[in-house]
Every structure is written in structure tokens, then in C-alpha cells.
Amino acid sequence: MEEIVSSDTLRKNRVPPGQRLVDSLPVLDYKGTPNIDLEKWAFNIKGLVPEEISLSYKETMNLPKTKVYFDIHCVTTWSKLDTTWEGISSRTFTKLANPDSTAKFVLIHSIDGYTTN
């Protein structure tokens, strides 16, 4: 006889040990939501690239978008299953920048001073 597994059990099996399941995404920010003048905002790419790139907000938003579906497991111990995100893929920026083959890392700087790799 085939075993019937509940959807709750299937969901719990997707949550790693030590994580807790959440129904909504926690709001995490560095210094609050900054006020941004989109006419002056730019997405800049520099470093081990043949030529530095600076895209306006409008140019950035005109890049191709990708939609992805996945589970999020945060280092702060929460998990959110079945999320949908749409935006510009890092592959799009990599293709645009054409980085040197020796480039191994990316450092991202936000408008409010936060950095992450």
C-alpha cells in the first residue's frame, strides 16, 4: 500500500535543521529605507573589467528580467518556502561587464553605505 504524505510533512522536509518556517519575509534593513533621487541614481560596475560601466535607473530597469521560484533559508535561522522573485540576473550584469578571467569576487556597495560580497 502506498504511503500518503501530508503537504505539511513535505513542507517541513524542505526546512533545514535549526531553521524555523515563516509565513512572510522579515523586514531587515541597514539604516531604514533611504530617499533616492532616481534621476541621479546609478548602477556602477568597476574593477577587473575592460571598461567601467555606469547605468542610469532607466537603463538598468530596461535590462532583461528573470523570474525565479525557490525556498529561502536565511543565516538568521528563518526559512520561507515557495517564494517568487523577479529582477535582473547577476549573469546579465556579468555578461555586460565582461570581467577579467582572474576576477573571483564581487563587492556590492549600497547607497546608504552598506556593503556585502
Short mmCIF file of all heavy atoms in Angstrom, two decimals, residues 30-82:
data_model
loop_
_atom_site.label_atom_id
_atom_site.label_comp_id
_atom_site.label_asym_id
_atom_site.label_seq_id
_atom_site.Cartn_x
_atom_site.Cartn_y
_atom_site.Cartn_z
N TYR A 30 19.39 48.12 6.88
CA TYR A 30 20.63 48.60 7.48
C TYR A 30 20.39 49.89 8.26
O TYR A 30 20.68 49.98 9.42
CB TYR A 30 21.66 48.78 6.37
CG TYR A 30 22.99 49.35 6.81
CD1 TYR A 30 23.73 48.71 7.81
CD2 TYR A 30 23.51 50.48 6.23
CE1 TYR A 30 24.95 49.22 8.21
CE2 TYR A 30 24.73 50.99 6.61
CZ TYR A 30 25.45 50.35 7.60
OH TYR A 30 26.66 50.85 8.00
N LYS A 31 19.84 50.88 7.59
CA LYS A 31 19.61 52.19 8.22
C LYS A 31 18.22 52.73 7.91
O LYS A 31 18.00 53.92 7.91
CB LYS A 31 20.64 53.21 7.73
CG LYS A 31 22.06 52.93 8.14
CD LYS A 31 22.97 54.04 7.61
CE LYS A 31 24.40 53.83 8.03
NZ LYS A 31 25.27 54.86 7.45
N GLY A 32 17.28 51.86 7.59
CA GLY A 32 15.97 52.33 7.16
C GLY A 32 15.96 52.50 5.65
O GLY A 32 16.97 52.34 4.98
N THR A 33 14.82 52.82 5.11
CA THR A 33 14.68 53.00 3.67
C THR A 33 15.16 54.38 3.27
O THR A 33 14.60 55.39 3.71
CB THR A 33 13.20 52.82 3.24
OG1 THR A 33 12.75 51.55 3.71
CG2 THR A 33 13.06 52.90 1.74
N PRO A 34 16.20 54.47 2.43
CA PRO A 34 16.72 55.78 2.04
C PRO A 34 15.81 56.44 1.00
O PRO A 34 15.11 55.77 0.24
CB PRO A 34 18.08 55.45 1.43
CG PRO A 34 17.96 54.05 0.94
CD PRO A 34 16.98 53.37 1.86
N ASN A 35 15.82 57.76 0.98
CA ASN A 35 15.16 58.51 -0.09
C ASN A 35 16.15 58.62 -1.24
O ASN A 35 17.26 59.11 -1.05
CB ASN A 35 14.75 59.91 0.39
CG ASN A 35 13.62 59.84 1.39
OD1 ASN A 35 12.69 59.06 1.21
ND2 ASN A 35 13.70 60.62 2.44
N ILE A 36 15.74 58.16 -2.40
CA ILE A 36 16.64 58.11 -3.55
C ILE A 36 16.08 58.95 -4.68
O ILE A 36 14.92 58.78 -5.08
CB ILE A 36 16.84 56.66 -4.02
CG1 ILE A 36 17.43 55.83 -2.89
CG2 ILE A 36 17.72 56.61 -5.27
CD1 ILE A 36 17.45 54.35 -3.17
N ASP A 37 16.91 59.84 -5.22
CA ASP A 37 16.55 60.61 -6.40
C ASP A 37 16.90 59.74 -7.61
O ASP A 37 18.08 59.58 -7.95
CB ASP A 37 17.33 61.93 -6.43
CG ASP A 37 16.99 62.79 -7.63
OD1 ASP A 37 16.32 62.30 -8.58
OD2 ASP A 37 17.40 63.97 -7.63
N LEU A 38 15.89 59.13 -8.23
CA LEU A 38 16.13 58.20 -9.33
C LEU A 38 16.74 58.86 -10.55
O LEU A 38 17.32 58.17 -11.40
CB LEU A 38 14.84 57.47 -9.69
CG LEU A 38 14.26 56.58 -8.59
CD1 LEU A 38 12.98 55.89 -9.06
CD2 LEU A 38 15.27 55.57 -8.10
N GLU A 39 16.64 60.18 -10.65
CA GLU A 39 17.28 60.89 -11.76
C GLU A 39 18.81 60.92 -11.59
O GLU A 39 19.54 61.05 -12.56
CB GLU A 39 16.74 62.32 -11.88
CG GLU A 39 15.27 62.38 -12.27
CD GLU A 39 15.01 61.77 -13.65
OE1 GLU A 39 15.79 62.02 -14.59
OE2 GLU A 39 14.00 61.04 -13.78
N LYS A 40 19.28 60.81 -10.34
CA LYS A 40 20.72 60.85 -10.07
C LYS A 40 21.30 59.46 -9.75
O LYS A 40 22.52 59.30 -9.72
CB LYS A 40 21.01 61.78 -8.89
CG LYS A 40 20.67 63.23 -9.19
CD LYS A 40 20.94 64.10 -7.98
CE LYS A 40 20.55 65.54 -8.27
NZ LYS A 40 20.70 66.39 -7.10
N TRP A 41 20.44 58.48 -9.49
CA TRP A 41 20.87 57.13 -9.11
C TRP A 41 21.62 56.49 -10.27
O TRP A 41 21.30 56.70 -11.44
CB TRP A 41 19.65 56.30 -8.75
CG TRP A 41 19.94 54.90 -8.33
CD1 TRP A 41 20.15 54.47 -7.06
CD2 TRP A 41 20.05 53.74 -9.16
NE1 TRP A 41 20.39 53.11 -7.05
CE2 TRP A 41 20.32 52.63 -8.33
CE3 TRP A 41 19.94 53.53 -10.53
CZ2 TRP A 41 20.49 51.35 -8.81
CZ3 TRP A 41 20.11 52.25 -11.02
CH2 TRP A 41 20.38 51.18 -10.17
N ALA A 42 22.65 55.69 -9.95
CA ALA A 42 23.39 54.97 -10.99
C ALA A 42 23.81 53.60 -10.47
O ALA A 42 24.06 53.42 -9.27
CB ALA A 42 24.62 55.76 -11.41
N PHE A 43 23.86 52.65 -11.38
CA PHE A 43 24.40 51.32 -11.10
C PHE A 43 25.77 51.30 -11.77
O PHE A 43 25.88 51.39 -12.99
CB PHE A 43 23.50 50.23 -11.68
CG PHE A 43 23.93 48.85 -11.29
CD1 PHE A 43 23.39 48.27 -10.16
CD2 PHE A 43 24.85 48.15 -12.04
CE1 PHE A 43 23.79 46.98 -9.77
CE2 PHE A 43 25.25 46.88 -11.67
CZ PHE A 43 24.72 46.29 -10.52
N ASN A 44 26.83 51.22 -10.94
CA ASN A 44 28.19 51.30 -11.46
C ASN A 44 28.90 49.96 -11.34
O ASN A 44 28.77 49.27 -10.33
CB ASN A 44 28.98 52.36 -10.68
CG ASN A 44 28.34 53.72 -10.81
OD1 ASN A 44 28.16 54.22 -11.91
ND2 ASN A 44 27.98 54.31 -9.70
N ILE A 45 29.64 49.62 -12.39
CA ILE A 45 30.45 48.40 -12.40
C ILE A 45 31.88 48.83 -12.70
O ILE A 45 32.14 49.48 -13.72
CB ILE A 45 29.96 47.40 -13.46
CG1 ILE A 45 28.50 47.05 -13.23
CG2 ILE A 45 30.84 46.16 -13.46
CD1 ILE A 45 27.88 46.21 -14.34
N LYS A 46 32.79 48.47 -11.78
CA LYS A 46 34.20 48.81 -11.99
C LYS A 46 35.06 47.73 -11.37
O LYS A 46 34.56 46.83 -10.70
CB LYS A 46 34.51 50.18 -11.39
CG LYS A 46 34.17 50.35 -9.93
CD LYS A 46 34.37 51.78 -9.49
CE LYS A 46 33.99 51.95 -8.04
NZ LYS A 46 34.22 53.31 -7.59
N GLY A 47 36.33 47.81 -11.60
CA GLY A 47 37.26 46.80 -11.09
C GLY A 47 37.93 46.07 -12.24
O GLY A 47 38.40 46.71 -13.18
N LEU A 48 37.94 44.77 -12.20
CA LEU A 48 38.60 43.97 -13.22
C LEU A 48 37.70 43.79 -14.45
O LEU A 48 37.35 42.68 -14.84
CB LEU A 48 39.02 42.62 -12.64
CG LEU A 48 40.09 42.68 -11.55
CD1 LEU A 48 40.35 41.29 -10.97
CD2 LEU A 48 41.38 43.28 -12.07
N VAL A 49 37.33 44.92 -15.03
CA VAL A 49 36.50 44.93 -16.24
C VAL A 49 37.22 45.78 -17.29
O VAL A 49 37.97 46.69 -16.95
CB VAL A 49 35.09 45.50 -15.97
CG1 VAL A 49 34.31 44.57 -15.04
CG2 VAL A 49 35.14 46.89 -15.39
N PRO A 50 37.01 45.48 -18.58
CA PRO A 50 37.71 46.24 -19.63
C PRO A 50 37.38 47.73 -19.61
O PRO A 50 38.22 48.57 -19.93
CB PRO A 50 37.25 45.61 -20.93
CG PRO A 50 36.53 44.36 -20.58
CD PRO A 50 36.18 44.43 -19.13
N GLU A 51 36.15 48.04 -19.23
CA GLU A 51 35.70 49.44 -19.21
C GLU A 51 34.66 49.61 -18.10
O GLU A 51 33.77 48.78 -17.95
CB GLU A 51 35.06 49.77 -20.56
CG GLU A 51 34.67 51.20 -20.74
CD GLU A 51 34.13 51.46 -22.15
OE1 GLU A 51 34.70 50.91 -23.11
OE2 GLU A 51 33.13 52.18 -22.25
N GLU A 52 34.81 50.66 -17.28
CA GLU A 52 33.82 50.91 -16.23
C GLU A 52 32.47 51.22 -16.86
O GLU A 52 32.39 51.81 -17.93
CB GLU A 52 34.26 52.08 -15.34
CG GLU A 52 35.44 51.72 -14.47
CD GLU A 52 35.78 52.80 -13.45
OE1 GLU A 52 35.02 53.78 -13.31
OE2 GLU A 52 36.82 52.63 -12.79
N ILE A 53 31.41 50.79 -16.19
CA ILE A 53 30.05 50.96 -16.69
C ILE A 53 29.24 51.74 -15.66
O ILE A 53 29.34 51.48 -14.46
CB ILE A 53 29.39 49.59 -16.95
CG1 ILE A 53 30.15 48.84 -18.04
CG2 ILE A 53 27.92 49.74 -17.31
CD1 ILE A 53 29.75 47.38 -18.17
N SER A 54 28.44 52.69 -16.12
CA SER A 54 27.52 53.42 -15.26
C SER A 54 26.17 53.47 -15.96
O SER A 54 26.04 54.04 -17.04
CB SER A 54 28.03 54.83 -14.98
OG SER A 54 27.17 55.49 -14.07
N LEU A 55 25.17 52.82 -15.35
CA LEU A 55 23.83 52.78 -15.92
C LEU A 55 22.88 53.63 -15.10
O LEU A 55 22.90 53.57 -13.86
CB LEU A 55 23.30 51.34 -15.94
CG LEU A 55 24.11 50.30 -16.72
CD1 LEU A 55 23.56 48.91 -16.46
CD2 LEU A 55 24.09 50.62 -18.19
N SER A 56 22.05 54.39 -15.77
CA SER A 56 21.01 55.15 -15.06
C SER A 56 19.94 54.17 -14.56
O SER A 56 19.93 52.99 -14.94
CB SER A 56 20.36 56.16 -16.02
OG SER A 56 19.60 55.47 -17.01
N TYR A 57 19.04 54.67 -13.74
CA TYR A 57 17.94 53.83 -13.26
C TYR A 57 17.12 53.30 -14.44
O TYR A 57 16.81 52.12 -14.51
CB TYR A 57 17.05 54.63 -12.30
CG TYR A 57 15.91 53.83 -11.74
CD1 TYR A 57 16.12 52.94 -10.69
CD2 TYR A 57 14.63 53.94 -12.27
CE1 TYR A 57 15.08 52.18 -10.18
CE2 TYR A 57 13.58 53.18 -11.76
CZ TYR A 57 13.81 52.31 -10.72
OH TYR A 57 12.79 51.56 -10.21
N LYS A 58 16.81 54.19 -15.38
CA LYS A 58 16.01 53.78 -16.54
C LYS A 58 16.75 52.73 -17.37
O LYS A 58 16.16 51.72 -17.78
CB LYS A 58 15.68 55.00 -17.41
CG LYS A 58 14.78 54.70 -18.58
CD LYS A 58 14.41 55.95 -19.34
CE LYS A 58 13.50 55.60 -20.50
NZ LYS A 58 13.10 56.78 -21.24
N GLU A 59 18.05 52.90 -17.59
CA GLU A 59 18.83 51.92 -18.35
C GLU A 59 18.87 50.57 -17.61
O GLU A 59 18.75 49.52 -18.23
CB GLU A 59 20.26 52.43 -18.56
CG GLU A 59 20.36 53.59 -19.52
CD GLU A 59 21.72 54.25 -19.50
OE1 GLU A 59 22.36 54.33 -18.43
OE2 GLU A 59 22.15 54.70 -20.59
N THR A 60 19.02 50.64 -16.31
CA THR A 60 19.05 49.42 -15.51
C THR A 60 17.72 48.68 -15.59
O THR A 60 17.67 47.47 -15.80
CB THR A 60 19.41 49.74 -14.04
OG1 THR A 60 20.67 50.43 -14.01
CG2 THR A 60 19.51 48.48 -13.20
N MET A 61 16.62 49.41 -15.44
CA MET A 61 15.29 48.79 -15.48
C MET A 61 14.93 48.26 -16.86
O MET A 61 14.05 47.42 -16.99
CB MET A 61 14.21 49.78 -15.01
CG MET A 61 14.31 50.12 -13.53
SD MET A 61 14.06 48.67 -12.47
CE MET A 61 15.71 48.32 -11.94
N ASN A 62 15.63 48.71 -17.90
CA ASN A 62 15.39 48.21 -19.25
C ASN A 62 16.16 46.93 -19.57
O ASN A 62 15.97 46.35 -20.64
CB ASN A 62 15.72 49.29 -20.29
CG ASN A 62 14.63 50.35 -20.37
OD1 ASN A 62 13.47 50.08 -20.09
ND2 ASN A 62 15.02 51.56 -20.72
N LEU A 63 17.02 46.49 -18.66
CA LEU A 63 17.73 45.23 -18.86
C LEU A 63 16.75 44.07 -18.75
O LEU A 63 15.70 44.20 -18.10
CB LEU A 63 18.85 45.08 -17.83
CG LEU A 63 20.03 46.05 -17.98
CD1 LEU A 63 20.96 45.94 -16.77
CD2 LEU A 63 20.79 45.80 -19.28
N PRO A 64 17.06 42.94 -19.39
CA PRO A 64 16.14 41.79 -19.32
C PRO A 64 15.93 41.31 -17.88
O PRO A 64 16.86 41.30 -17.08
CB PRO A 64 16.84 40.71 -20.15
CG PRO A 64 18.05 41.31 -20.73
CD PRO A 64 18.26 42.66 -20.16
N LYS A 65 14.72 40.91 -17.60
CA LYS A 65 14.35 40.41 -16.26
C LYS A 65 14.25 38.89 -16.29
O LYS A 65 13.97 38.28 -17.30
CB LYS A 65 12.99 40.98 -15.81
CG LYS A 65 12.84 42.49 -15.91
CD LYS A 65 13.65 43.22 -14.90
CE LYS A 65 13.38 44.71 -14.88
NZ LYS A 65 13.66 45.44 -16.07
N THR A 66 14.48 38.30 -15.13
CA THR A 66 14.36 36.86 -14.93
C THR A 66 13.43 36.63 -13.76
O THR A 66 13.48 37.37 -12.78
CB THR A 66 15.74 36.24 -14.62
OG1 THR A 66 16.63 36.53 -15.69
CG2 THR A 66 15.66 34.75 -14.42
N LYS A 67 12.59 35.60 -13.84
CA LYS A 67 11.72 35.24 -12.72
C LYS A 67 12.19 33.90 -12.19
O LYS A 67 12.42 32.97 -12.95
CB LYS A 67 10.26 35.15 -13.17
CG LYS A 67 9.28 34.99 -12.01
CD LYS A 67 7.84 34.95 -12.48
CE LYS A 67 7.37 36.35 -12.79
NZ LYS A 67 5.91 36.42 -13.00
N VAL A 68 12.35 33.81 -10.86
CA VAL A 68 12.80 32.57 -10.23
C VAL A 68 11.88 32.21 -9.08
O VAL A 68 11.29 33.09 -8.45
CB VAL A 68 14.27 32.66 -9.73
CG1 VAL A 68 15.23 32.77 -10.89
CG2 VAL A 68 14.45 33.81 -8.77
N TYR A 69 11.77 30.92 -8.83
CA TYR A 69 10.96 30.38 -7.74
C TYR A 69 11.88 29.53 -6.87
O TYR A 69 12.57 28.65 -7.40
CB TYR A 69 9.84 29.49 -8.29
CG TYR A 69 9.01 30.16 -9.35
CD1 TYR A 69 9.34 30.05 -10.69
CD2 TYR A 69 7.88 30.91 -9.01
CE1 TYR A 69 8.58 30.66 -11.68
CE2 TYR A 69 7.12 31.52 -9.98
CZ TYR A 69 7.48 31.40 -11.31
OH TYR A 69 6.72 32.02 -12.28
N PHE A 70 11.90 29.79 -5.58
CA PHE A 70 12.77 29.00 -4.71
C PHE A 70 12.42 29.19 -3.25
O PHE A 70 11.62 30.04 -2.89
CB PHE A 70 14.26 29.32 -4.96
CG PHE A 70 14.61 30.76 -4.75
CD1 PHE A 70 15.10 31.21 -3.53
CD2 PHE A 70 14.49 31.68 -5.78
CE1 PHE A 70 15.43 32.53 -3.34
CE2 PHE A 70 14.82 33.01 -5.60
CZ PHE A 70 15.30 33.44 -4.37
N ASP A 71 13.06 28.37 -2.41
CA ASP A 71 12.94 28.50 -0.96
C ASP A 71 14.11 29.35 -0.47
O ASP A 71 15.22 29.25 -1.00
CB ASP A 71 13.01 27.12 -0.29
CG ASP A 71 11.89 26.19 -0.72
OD1 ASP A 71 10.85 26.68 -1.20
OD2 ASP A 71 12.06 24.97 -0.57
N ILE A 72 13.87 30.17 0.54
CA ILE A 72 14.92 30.98 1.14
C ILE A 72 15.22 30.43 2.53
O ILE A 72 14.31 30.23 3.32
CB ILE A 72 14.49 32.46 1.27
CG1 ILE A 72 14.16 33.06 -0.09
CG2 ILE A 72 15.58 33.28 1.97
CD1 ILE A 72 13.58 34.44 -0.01
N HIS A 73 16.49 30.20 2.80
CA HIS A 73 16.94 29.74 4.11
C HIS A 73 17.98 30.75 4.59
O HIS A 73 19.10 30.77 4.10
CB HIS A 73 17.52 28.34 4.03
CG HIS A 73 16.60 27.35 3.39
ND1 HIS A 73 15.42 26.95 3.98
CD2 HIS A 73 16.65 26.72 2.19
CE1 HIS A 73 14.80 26.09 3.18
NE2 HIS A 73 15.53 25.95 2.09
N CYS A 74 17.60 31.61 5.51
CA CYS A 74 18.45 32.71 5.97
C CYS A 74 19.38 32.26 7.09
O CYS A 74 19.02 31.41 7.91
CB CYS A 74 17.57 33.86 6.45
SG CYS A 74 18.51 35.32 6.94
N VAL A 75 20.56 32.87 7.13
CA VAL A 75 21.52 32.55 8.19
C VAL A 75 21.00 32.97 9.57
O VAL A 75 21.52 32.52 10.58
CB VAL A 75 22.90 33.20 7.95
CG1 VAL A 75 23.52 32.67 6.68
CG2 VAL A 75 22.79 34.72 7.91
N THR A 76 19.95 33.79 9.61
CA THR A 76 19.37 34.19 10.90
C THR A 76 18.32 33.18 11.38
O THR A 76 17.56 33.48 12.28
CB THR A 76 18.77 35.61 10.83
OG1 THR A 76 17.73 35.63 9.85
CG2 THR A 76 19.83 36.64 10.50
N THR A 77 18.27 32.02 10.78
CA THR A 77 17.50 30.82 11.15
C THR A 77 16.05 30.77 10.69
O THR A 77 15.31 29.92 11.13
CB THR A 77 17.56 30.52 12.68
OG1 THR A 77 16.80 31.48 13.40
CG2 THR A 77 18.98 30.45 13.18
N TRP A 78 15.62 31.64 9.80
CA TRP A 78 14.26 31.51 9.29
C TRP A 78 14.29 30.96 7.86
O TRP A 78 15.26 31.15 7.14
CB TRP A 78 13.49 32.83 9.36
CG TRP A 78 14.10 34.00 8.63
CD1 TRP A 78 14.89 34.97 9.17
CD2 TRP A 78 13.97 34.32 7.23
NE1 TRP A 78 15.27 35.86 8.19
CE2 TRP A 78 14.71 35.49 7.00
CE3 TRP A 78 13.30 33.72 6.17
CZ2 TRP A 78 14.80 36.08 5.75
CZ3 TRP A 78 13.39 34.31 4.91
CH2 TRP A 78 14.13 35.48 4.72
N SER A 79 13.22 30.30 7.48
CA SER A 79 13.04 29.79 6.12
C SER A 79 11.67 30.21 5.61
O SER A 79 10.69 30.18 6.33
CB SER A 79 13.11 28.25 6.10
OG SER A 79 14.41 27.80 6.36
N LYS A 80 11.62 30.62 4.35
CA LYS A 80 10.37 30.96 3.67
C LYS A 80 10.32 30.11 2.40
O LYS A 80 11.23 30.17 1.58
CB LYS A 80 10.33 32.45 3.33
CG LYS A 80 9.16 32.88 2.46
CD LYS A 80 7.90 33.01 3.26
CE LYS A 80 6.78 33.63 2.45
NZ LYS A 80 5.91 32.69 1.78
N LEU A 81 9.29 29.30 2.29
CA LEU A 81 9.17 28.39 1.15
C LEU A 81 8.35 29.02 0.02
O LEU A 81 7.53 29.90 0.24
CB LEU A 81 8.52 27.08 1.60
CG LEU A 81 9.20 26.35 2.75
CD1 LEU A 81 8.46 25.06 3.07
CD2 LEU A 81 10.67 26.07 2.45
N ASP A 82 8.61 28.53 -1.19
CA ASP A 82 7.81 28.89 -2.37
C ASP A 82 7.77 30.39 -2.66
O ASP A 82 6.72 30.96 -2.90
CB ASP A 82 6.38 28.35 -2.23
CG ASP A 82 6.35 26.85 -2.03
OD1 ASP A 82 7.09 26.15 -2.74
OD2 ASP A 82 5.62 26.38 -1.14
#
